[in-house]
Amino acid sequence: MNRQLVELVDVIARERGIEAEQVFAALEAAVASAVRKSSDLKTAEARAEINRRTGNIQAWSLWNVVDSVHLPEVEMSVEEARKLKPDAQVGDVVEVPVPSDKLGRIAAQSAKNTLMHGLRQAEKDQLFEEYKGREGEIITCTVRRFERSDVIVELEKGEGVIPASERVRTEEYQRGDRIKAYLVRVENVGAGTEVVLSRSRPEFVRRLFELEVSEIADGTVEIVGIAREAGYRTKLAVHTRDEKVDPVGACVGMRGMRVKNIVRELGGEKIDIIRWREDVAKFVGEALSPAQVSEIEVFEDEQRVQVRVDEDQLSLAIGKKGQNARLTAKLTGWKIDIDKIDRERGFHEKVAAAVASLAGLGEIGEERARALVSHGFLSPEGVHAADSDDLLGIEGFDEEAVARLKAAAAAVIASGDEAAETAAAPETPPDPAPDPEAASPDLPTEEAPAAEVPAEEEAAADVPAAEVPAGEVAPSETPAPEESAGDGLAEDAPAEAPVGAPPAPDAPAADEDEKARAAGASPAEDGSAS
């Protein structure tokens, strides 16, 4: 039996990860407790000893030698002491051997409880020695249970805790999950050793990069600063003194494998890796990525940076709920103010506006409108003034489409913005009253009669119609009246021009009919272009 005790001690030590000597000490304390609890002995002090090789157990009750006994549980008279030890003197301690058969059931239960308490305390002491001095390391652990909002994890030896304040809000754990955590501190508390872990601290990300990126581990690349909102985004500033090394590329890795491994461990948290700059303006500009910064002004006395961005970059620079600007301020240590810049529209914006203004003319659509813009036709006025042959040379336009396009352009010029909206909305029925200033080639009608002109005004035209170059207006002695239509043409029309000559500027309907004939289309009824 005694030999089996030694083997049992070895098994307990291996299972609990403690030393065999600690198990023997716990057994000796348990036996001494049993002696003290024994009703037959009635002693307050006891001692036990176990042979480490044979497993033999010996126990003694301890008595103080005095002249006069006042505490019979711990004191013994000199006469009684000399019966056990002939040379006993006052003040000595006499040990009285205790046979194991005198230990009762209550004493055995007390011994069991003392043994279990001793083993637990030995485990906690071993845990403290194991992790003391390892603060700041990454520990791999397994989720075991939950106590309120705290996560209790199993370590290689003992247990640790991830408090609610050190958890990531967006993460949820299941029993049995293997996770990595940052060792915050190891301390002895009333209940034993407490190992506190964290997954929300910026130092956790730093240590992950040190484990994943060899250039950071050997000091080639240095992490200058970290700003983190756990579970959402982290900004990391890196620097190197070796000109041959790209610090950002070293952290990202081949095809992004290094940073992907870290993002996976963080549960999909976004990471921005930024090159550290000594120039504050450049550093802030890179820290605000992915936003494109236009202007930066540094106020060193106020420790403030004024950033100006284009309007389309403003929301990106500020970030969701101000996250991007907030992390940049944490990373750089400067207060960040962000404003937008009011600029004139750029080239692409102007092209888009021109396409939008032409897409509704004659229902040509965006694709053909882009073709017009690419050939230099940027407005309805430009389309109206263009030669039909020039428009026919553009891909996607035939004679019918050109006629419809020019008619719609004339309607927009004549009627202003209201006519343009009407032309862009085909479901709106046309006005019942015909508009003499606009024509539609889609609705056949009778040709409008030419206005009658006095003979003396007709004779005043001393330039033949055939000799007037295309695009110019035949001269007339009669000055145009001050009032004009929406397109700037006079209302009073001169005599009808021969075929081939440009129409008088005050007869837009006849002008459109003549151009429609030249393009091979039939004259249309006056009205809004559909």
Side-chain angles (χ1 to χ4, degrees):
M1 175 64 186
N2 292 343
R3 188 61 186 172
Q4 293 177 352
L5 178 62
V6 176
E7 295 176 356
L8 181 61
V9 168
D10 292 338
V11 171
I12 294 175
R14 286 195 303 270
E15 287 181 351
R16 294 181 175 267
I18 59 179
E19 299 293 334
E21 184 60 33
Q22 293 176 304
V23 181
F24 277 117
L27 281 173
E28 290 173 346
V31 174
S33 175
V35 171
R36 289 192 297 270
K37 295 293 182 180
S38 176
S39 58
D40 294 338
L41 299 176
K42 296 181 181 180
T43 179
E45 297 293 334
R47 183 177 73 86
E49 186 177 302
I50 301 175
N51 189 295
R52 283 12 178 202
R53 185 174 59 84
T54 63
N56 292 328
I57 302 175
Q58 290 181 314
W60 298 269
S61 59
L62 306 180
W63 304 88
N64 297 323
V65 180
V66 295
D67 290 329
S68 176
V69 177
H70 298 287
L71 298 173
E73 295 84 3
V74 295
E75 295 178 346
M76 180 183 292
S77 64
V78 176
E79 294 78 11
E80 293 180 357
R82 287 177 177 173
K83 293 178 182 179
L84 301 173
K85 184 181 178 182
D87 58 346
Q89 300 293 330
V90 175
D92 292 347
V93 176
V94 177
E95 295 182 348
V96 179
V98 177
S100 59
D101 58 357
K102 288 190 176 183
L103 302 178
R105 181 183 61 83
I106 296 178
Q109 183 64 34
S110 175
K112 177 184 176 182
N113 295 338
T114 304
L115 175 62
M116 298 304 297
H117 175 74
L119 292 177
R120 285 194 295 268
Q121 186 61 42
E123 288 177 341
K124 292 176 181 178
D125 292 342
Q126 183 71 17
L127 182 65
F128 181 78
E129 294 297 328
E130 176 71 20
Y131 292 102
K132 183 180 67 174
R134 295 180 59 184
E135 290 87 348
E137 293 186 10
I138 296 292
I139 305 296
T140 301
C141 50
T142 304
V143 177
R144 281 300 172 217
R145 65 183 186 276
F146 303 92
E147 293 182 359
R148 297 182 181 177
S149 297
D150 298 342
V151 182
I152 307 301
V153 296
E154 180 181 358
L155 307 174
E156 294 178 2
K157 296 181 179 180
E159 289 183 342
V161 59
I162 304 178
S165 59
E166 302 291 348
R167 291 181 58 179
V168 178
R169 295 181 182 179
T170 58
E171 291 182 348
E172 293 188 5
Y173 313 107
Q174 303 295 330
R175 290 181 178 85
D177 289 350
R178 288 188 62 81
I179 59 176
K180 292 180 180 179
Y182 176 79
L183 180 56
V184 178
R185 64 181 181 273
V186 181
E187 56 186 13
N188 276 323
V189 294
T193 301
E194 185 179 49
V195 180
V196 181
L197 305 170
S198 173
R199 281 182 60 87
S200 63
R201 297 200 175 196
E203 292 82 1
F204 180 48
V205 179
R206 179 190 294 270
R207 293 295 297 168
L208 288 176
F209 270 96
E210 290 177 357
L211 293 175
E212 190 69 33
V213 182
S214 59
E215 289 83 355
I216 294 179
D218 62 21
T220 304
V221 176
E222 178 187 359
I223 298 177
V224 180
I226 297 179
R228 185 185 185 200
E229 290 191 359
Y232 300 99
R233 184 180 290 273
T234 294
K235 286 184 178 290
L236 187 80
V238 294
H239 173 66
T240 181
R241 292 182 174 86
D242 190 344
E243 297 180 355
K244 299 178 181 179
V245 177
D246 177 15
V248 177
C251 295
V252 173
M254 184 68 68
R255 297 182 180 178
M257 289 305 299
R258 288 178 172 178
V259 73
K260 283 180 181 177
N261 292 337
I262 297 174
V263 169
R264 190 180 303 111
E265 176 61 36
L266 297 177
E269 182 176 322
K270 297 179 180 179
I271 298 179
D272 297 337
I273 303 175
I274 302 154
R275 184 189 294 269
W276 179 83
R277 303 284 189 181
E278 189 173 358
D279 188 334
V280 175
K282 293 182 179 179
F283 186 31
V284 171
E286 293 200 14
L288 282 172
S289 63
Q292 299 295 324
V293 177
S294 299
E295 300 175 7
I296 297 180
E297 188 175 0
V298 179
F299 300 90
E300 295 186 359
D301 295 340
E302 304 176 17
Q303 198 74 7
R304 181 174 65 89
V305 178
Q306 181 70 48
V307 179
R308 296 180 179 85
V309 298
D310 290 335
E311 186 174 0
D312 60 339
Q313 296 290 314
L314 181 62
S315 60
L316 196 60
I318 296 174
K320 185 177 181 181
K321 298 181 180 179
Q323 183 185 83
N324 196 46
R326 189 165 54 249
L327 288 176
T328 300
K330 288 181 182 179
L331 183 66
T332 60
W334 289 67
K335 181 181 178 182
I336 309 296
D337 293 335
I338 302 176
D339 291 331
K340 68 178 180 178
I341 300 177
D342 294 329
R343 299 179 181 269
E344 279 189 32
R345 292 188 304 173
F347 172 76
H348 295 290
E349 293 176 334
K350 292 179 179 179
V351 169
V355 171
S357 66
L358 296 179
L361 295 179
E363 299 181 359
I364 62 174
E366 184 177 349
E367 183 177 353
R368 288 192 289 180
R370 288 188 180 278
L372 287 173
V373 172
S374 65
H375 283 76
F377 301 101
L378 305 179
S379 64
E381 290 79 2
V383 171
H384 181 264
D387 189 75
S388 298
D389 293 337
D390 294 336
L391 297 176
L392 288 172
I394 301 175
E395 183 179 357
F397 287 90
D398 54 14
E399 294 182 353
E400 182 181 355
V402 168
R404 187 166 59 250
L405 175 65
K406 292 180 72 67
V412 171
I413 295 172
S415 303
D417 292 339
E418 182 178 356
E421 293 177 1
T422 305
E427 66 276 7
T428 304
D431 294 333
D435 185 359
E437 296 179 358
S440 173
D442 295 335
L443 302 176
T445 183
E446 296 180 2
E447 184 177 357
E452 295 183 1
V453 182
E456 57 273 12
E457 291 185 13
E458 184 176 2
D462 50 0
V463 179
E467 296 180 3
V468 178
E472 296 184 4
V473 179
S476 175
E477 294 181 356
T478 305
E482 294 181 359
E483 294 184 4
S484 60
D487 55 356
L489 304 179
E491 292 182 357
D492 296 334
E496 182 180 1
V499 177
D506 54 343
D511 178 16
E512 294 305 321
D513 290 341
E514 292 296 332
K515 291 188 178 182
R517 288 195 192 93
S522 59
E525 182 182 2
D526 292 340
S528 299
S530 58

